[in-house]
């Protein structure tokens, strides 16, 4: 059994505790537990700089067992039912994956998977499956993948059934 930490002490003048992890195996265990769950770049880079760049022993042990240290994708999944114009009894179902990114590269690869396209140069030619962007007031873009195809939507749902979302996103998905 790996002991994670060895010291818990109160922080003076605060209602908080400090938990010290000094053994490299304990640090490795924590990295495994939080891998893929960080939501902000500042926390992600704190770990990269403090535990991988400044502590080569932890870096070596982590990458000997695991491929990469990643962040949580901070995104959303929406299902929309849109009434078709001219035919109020027919609806169109749209599935929209939205992932805030500075570039759209990750969505291009998701689209390759969803649209059964073999070549990344062909992803703009698949009907019923496209990548769009929204320009926000703060100057950031949000890229999203949207599909109206039941077959493609089913493929995403089967994927998410096998590789569950994290935290409340999983409950919302269900």
């Amino acid at each position: 059994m790996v002991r994670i930490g060895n010291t818990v002490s109160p922080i003076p003048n605060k209602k908080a505790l400090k938990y010290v992890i000094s053994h490299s195996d304990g640090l490795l265990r924590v990295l495994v537990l939080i891998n893929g769950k960080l939501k902000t770049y500042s926390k992600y880079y704190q770990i990269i700089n403090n535990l991988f760049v400044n502590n080569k022993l932890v870096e070596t042990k982590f990458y000997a067992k695991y491929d990469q240290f990643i962040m949580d994708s901070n995104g959303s999944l929406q299902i929309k039912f849109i009434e078709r114009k001219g035919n109020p009894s027919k609806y169109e179902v749209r599935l929209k994956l939205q992932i805030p990114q500075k570039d759209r590269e990750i969505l291009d690869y998701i689209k390759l998977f969803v649209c059964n396209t073999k070549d990344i140069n062909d992803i703009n030619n698949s009907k019923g499956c496209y990548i769009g962007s929204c320009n926000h007031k703060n100057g950031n873009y949000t890229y999203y993948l949207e599909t109206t195809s039941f077959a493609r939507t089913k493929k995403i749902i089967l994927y998410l059934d096998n590789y569950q979302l994290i935290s409340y996103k999983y409950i919302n998905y269900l």
Side-chain angles (χ1 to χ4, degrees), residues 69-157:
F69 186 75
I70 58 173
M71 290 180 57
D72 177 24
S73 64
N74 186 13
S76 67
L77 172 68
Q78 302 169 10
I79 300 174
K80 294 181 180 180
F81 295 94
I82 300 170
E83 190 175 319
R84 288 193 174 170
K85 292 179 182 176
N87 195 343
S89 64
K90 296 233 177 180
Y91 288 89
E92 185 175 288
V93 178
R94 290 185 186 177
L95 180 76
K96 186 177 190 179
L97 296 173
Q98 192 163 333
I99 303 173
Q101 297 287 330
K102 290 183 179 178
D103 59 55
R104 61 180 254 173
E105 181 181 15
I106 192 168
L107 285 175
D108 286 336
Y109 287 104
I110 292 171
K111 188 174 178 184
L112 282 174
F113 168 75
V114 171
C115 299
N116 294 325
T117 306
K118 302 278 188 240
D119 184 3
I120 194 135
N121 297 320
D122 289 339
I123 62 173
N124 293 327
N125 298 327
S126 37
K127 292 184 179 182
C129 189
Y130 70 94
I131 294 175
S133 67
C134 295
N135 189 359
H136 298 279
K137 291 177 185 176
N138 62 6
N140 292 335
Y141 282 97
T142 300
Y143 291 94
Y144 60 88
L145 181 134
E146 190 167 322
T147 180
T148 55
S149 161
F150 280 109
R152 292 179 179 134
T153 301
K154 181 179 178 183
K155 192 169 187 174
I156 293 170
I157 289 170

